[in-house]
């Protein structure tokens, strides 16, 4: 890597999509853009279909968003299309300024506790984890292979969604099932959204003017997928997602916590197949299963119109959230802050107000005026007198991946 190589391309490869951001991590802001400056962002969707779509915004040149539609056959073609868009802005992947490519990898199992430079052995291990992340790791692997083919000389770094949670104590990570069976099949709670929980818990400490080691934070990552975590002194001690991202909070389309016997019942009594149950719990449950909508804006609009199904869905969502806030307060013993993040957490003031309503005895309260403020900045929403701070802390998983990637390759 040359001294001028300060750019990191962050790739988040899904089964039919690739999200990307090119960031400059220049550590010397006197000689160029500030560390973390976004040069270009974009998304390729519906890969493999006739109606694939690429949306690219060249932030470095201040240019407008460019959108192209037309068939993009696979991830290889998608990444080539992205490379062409970047080249058109003078930001091509062949640039000597590119230091590394950082990949979001969903499942790192127990082995990967930190960002890791990808070699054949690392790739083989990510592949070995496919049985515990069948929806995500294969797409991540495809993204890595494609990027390697494009720039074989460049360091490729895997940043794992599970890594932040590997500090969970054994008693929080293990399910109370037969140990031999669990170990034989690597069944345990891994947790996900770790990059977001790491970033947001650190930013929350910053907002409180403290070092992460000094504070205990409950992070509520409420997006279409949703998870909570208990972070003690910068280390994750519990999180709501488990072996897969299905456990825990009520999500856009996932049920979250459920009696596992429901699945036997669906198979034995309702005659559903394994796959039917999988689709039901992952894609047709949560808010969408309860009321037909998974967008919190739409749910709030329906509630305002007196829609009882939407209201019940909202109440179930909030009830689950409150249970986790209570549980993690008990786990942490002392809580300094509750931080809301991701699409719902950052934007839905009624969710934040409802989740903390009635928790005054636990030191939690919401100031209605502060909660109504709309801003992209980390901010407090609790009154000054509250014993526990409540905060909105926008997440930035791409920046976190870029920071971790650059730190690793420039060390
Ligand atoms: P994410 O997965 O973090 O992108 O979050 C996506 C979800 O955030 C959407 O499904 C919506 O439910 C929610 N969301 C986004 N914007 C708003 C908003 N302005 N108000 C309420 N909810 C929102």
């Amino acid at each position: 890597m040359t001294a001028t190589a300060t750019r990191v391309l962050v790739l988040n490869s899904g089964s039919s999509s690739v999200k990307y951001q090119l960031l400059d991590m220049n550590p010397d802001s006197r000689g160029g853009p500030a560390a973390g400056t976004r040069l270009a962002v974009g998304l390729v969707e519906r890969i493999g279909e006739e109606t694939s779509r690429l949306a690219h915004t060249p932030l470095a040149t201040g240019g407008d968003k460019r959108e192209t539609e037309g068939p993009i056959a696979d991830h290889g073609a998608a990444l080539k299309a992205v490379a062409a868009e970047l080249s058109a802005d003078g930001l091509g992947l062949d640039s000597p300024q590119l230091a590394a490519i950082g990949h979001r990898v969903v499942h790192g199992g127990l082995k990967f506790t930190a960002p890791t430079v990808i070699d054949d052995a690392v790739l083989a291990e990510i592949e070995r984890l496919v049985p515990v992340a069948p929806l995500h790791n294969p797409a991540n692997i495809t993204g890595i292979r494609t990027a390697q083919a494009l720039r074989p000389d460049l360091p490729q770094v895997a940043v794992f969604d599970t890594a932040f949670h590997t500090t969970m104590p054994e008693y929080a990570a293990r399910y109370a099932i037969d140990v031999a069976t669990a170990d034989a099949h690597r069944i345990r709670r891994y947790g996900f959204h770790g990059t977001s929980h790491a970033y947001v818990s650190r930013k929350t400490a910053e907002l409180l003017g403290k070092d992460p080691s000094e504070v205990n934070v409950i992070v509520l990552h409420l997006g279409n997928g949703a998870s909570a975590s208990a972070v003690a002194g910068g280390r994750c001690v519990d999180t709501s997602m488990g072996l897969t991202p299905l456990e825990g909070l009520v999500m856009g389309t996932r049920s979250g916590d459920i009696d596992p016997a429901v699945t036997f019942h669906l198979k034995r009594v309702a005659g559903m197949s394994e796959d039917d149950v999988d689709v039901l719990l992952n894609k047709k449950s949560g808010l969408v299963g309860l009321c037909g909508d998974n967008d919190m804006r739409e749910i709030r609009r329906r509630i305002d119109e007196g829609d009882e199904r939407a209201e019940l869905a909202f109440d179930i969502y909030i009830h689950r959230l409150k249970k986790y806030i209570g549980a993690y307060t008990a786990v942490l013993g002392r809580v300094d802050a509750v931080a809301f993040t991701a699409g719902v957490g950052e934007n839905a003031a009624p969710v934040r107000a409802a989740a903390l309503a009635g928790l005054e005895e636990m030191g939690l309260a919401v100031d209605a005026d502060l909660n109504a403020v709309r801003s992209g900045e980390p901010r407090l929403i609790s009154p000054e007198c509250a014993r526990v701070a409540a905060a909105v802390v926008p997440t930035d998983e791409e920046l976190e991946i870029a920071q971790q990637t650059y730190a690793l390759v420039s060390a």
Side-chain angles (χ1 to χ4, degrees):
M1 195 181 94
T2 65
T4 54
T6 56
R7 292 178 185 164
V8 175
L9 177 69
V10 175
L11 290 182
N12 182 351
S13 306
S15 55
S16 65
S17 69
V18 176
K19 272 191 228 158
Y20 63 93
Q21 290 197 1
L22 182 68
L23 296 100
D24 200 316
M25 304 311 293
N26 179 20
D28 177 13
S29 52
R30 288 162 302 165
T37 301
R38 263 163 258 261
L39 304 175
V41 303
L43 169 69
V44 191
E45 293 175 288
R46 301 196 289 268
I47 295 172
E49 294 179 33
E50 286 301 308
T51 57
S52 313
R53 187 172 153 272
L54 195 169
H56 175 88
T57 309
L59 300 170
T61 59
D64 289 337
K65 185 172 180 178
R66 301 195 291 266
E67 298 190 47
T68 37
E69 267 206 46
I72 296 179
D74 52 28
H75 283 72
L79 211 54
K80 279 195 188 120
V82 170
E85 289 290 350
L86 289 168
S87 286
D89 302 313
L91 301 167
L93 296 190
D94 51 355
S95 164
Q97 282 171 279
L98 191 61
I101 299 180
H103 296 266
R104 175 189 182 211
V105 178
V106 168
H107 215 308
L110 287 183
K111 198 158 183 166
F112 297 114
T113 59
T116 306
V117 174
I118 301 166
D119 59 17
D120 288 349
V122 169
L123 203 50
E125 183 61 25
I126 297 172
E127 209 144 18
R128 216 172 65 84
L129 289 162
V130 166
V132 283
L135 298 178
H136 296 99
N137 274 29
N140 302 155
I141 292 166
T142 308
I144 292 168
R145 288 228 166 89
T146 308
Q148 281 178 329
L150 227 53
R151 277 296 303 269
D153 56 313
L154 205 63
Q156 313 262 340
V157 174
V159 178
F160 299 94
D161 256 22
T162 45
F164 185 62
H165 303 303
T166 54
T167 52
M168 272 195 289
E170 199 63 8
Y171 54 75
R174 270 203 185 266
Y175 292 110
I177 63 171
D178 172 63
V179 170
T181 307
D183 288 351
H185 300 285
R186 290 177 288 173
I187 298 169
R188 59 187 287 120
R189 309 187 56 256
Y190 294 97
F192 298 88
H193 291 146
T195 316
S196 177
H197 287 285
Y199 179 85
V200 171
S201 56
R202 220 176 49 238
K203 280 276 167 190
T204 305
E206 215 173 87
L207 182 68
L208 300 182
K210 301 233 168 98
D211 189 80
S213 64
E214 298 170 327
V215 295
N216 291 348
V217 185
I218 297 174
V219 178
L220 303 170
H221 177 112
L222 310 177
N224 200 29
S227 62
S229 70
V231 184
R235 290 164 67 84
C236 176
V237 293
D238 206 350
T239 194
S240 60
M241 284 177 167
L243 173 75
T244 76
L246 183 55
E247 193 180 344
L249 300 174
V250 175
M251 308 181 212
T253 66
R254 294 180 213 141
S255 63
D257 294 338
I258 198 169
D259 180 345
V262 170
T263 61
F264 320 145
H265 191 83
L266 289 169
K267 284 189 259 181
R268 290 182 192 139
V269 179
M272 291 174 75
S273 70
E274 203 72 42
D275 286 348
D276 292 340
V277 176
D278 194 328
V279 169
L280 179 82
L281 297 182
N282 274 298
K283 302 246 164 81
K284 297 185 181 169
S285 295
L287 292 170
V288 93
L290 289 166
C291 74
D293 273 307
N294 60 335
D295 192 314
M296 194 51 83
R297 286 164 286 203
E298 188 56 21
I299 291 170
R300 290 303 311 173
R301 196 192 58 71
R302 285 172 56 186
I303 292 172
D304 289 343
E305 286 177 353
D307 185 321
E308 287 177 10
R309 257 181 83 200
E311 188 161 4
L312 180 60
F314 184 82
D315 289 348
I316 294 169
Y317 183 95
I318 296 296
H319 181 67
R320 186 80 53 84
L321 208 47
K322 275 199 157 130
K323 289 212 278 193
Y324 272 91
I325 294 168
Y328 287 174
T329 300
V331 164
L332 289 168
R334 185 201 85 227
V335 181
D336 297 293
V338 173
F340 291 86
T341 196
V344 176
E346 291 168 30
N347 296 298
V351 167
R352 299 190 296 257
L356 300 184
L359 303 187
E360 292 79 11
E361 289 291 325
M362 288 163 57
L364 281 157
V366 171
D367 178 302
D369 291 336
L370 293 177
N371 193 33
V373 171
R374 295 196 61 84
S375 151
E377 294 299 312
R379 59 201 184 273
L380 291 174
I381 57 167
S382 46
E384 247 172 63
C385 60
R387 204 170 65 242
V388 179
V392 179
V393 180
T395 192
D396 195 336
E397 289 166 283
E398 287 77 17
L399 178 61
E400 180 72 14
I401 292 172
Q403 278 170 344
Q404 293 194 13
T405 299
Y406 188 69
L408 189 64
V409 299
S410 60

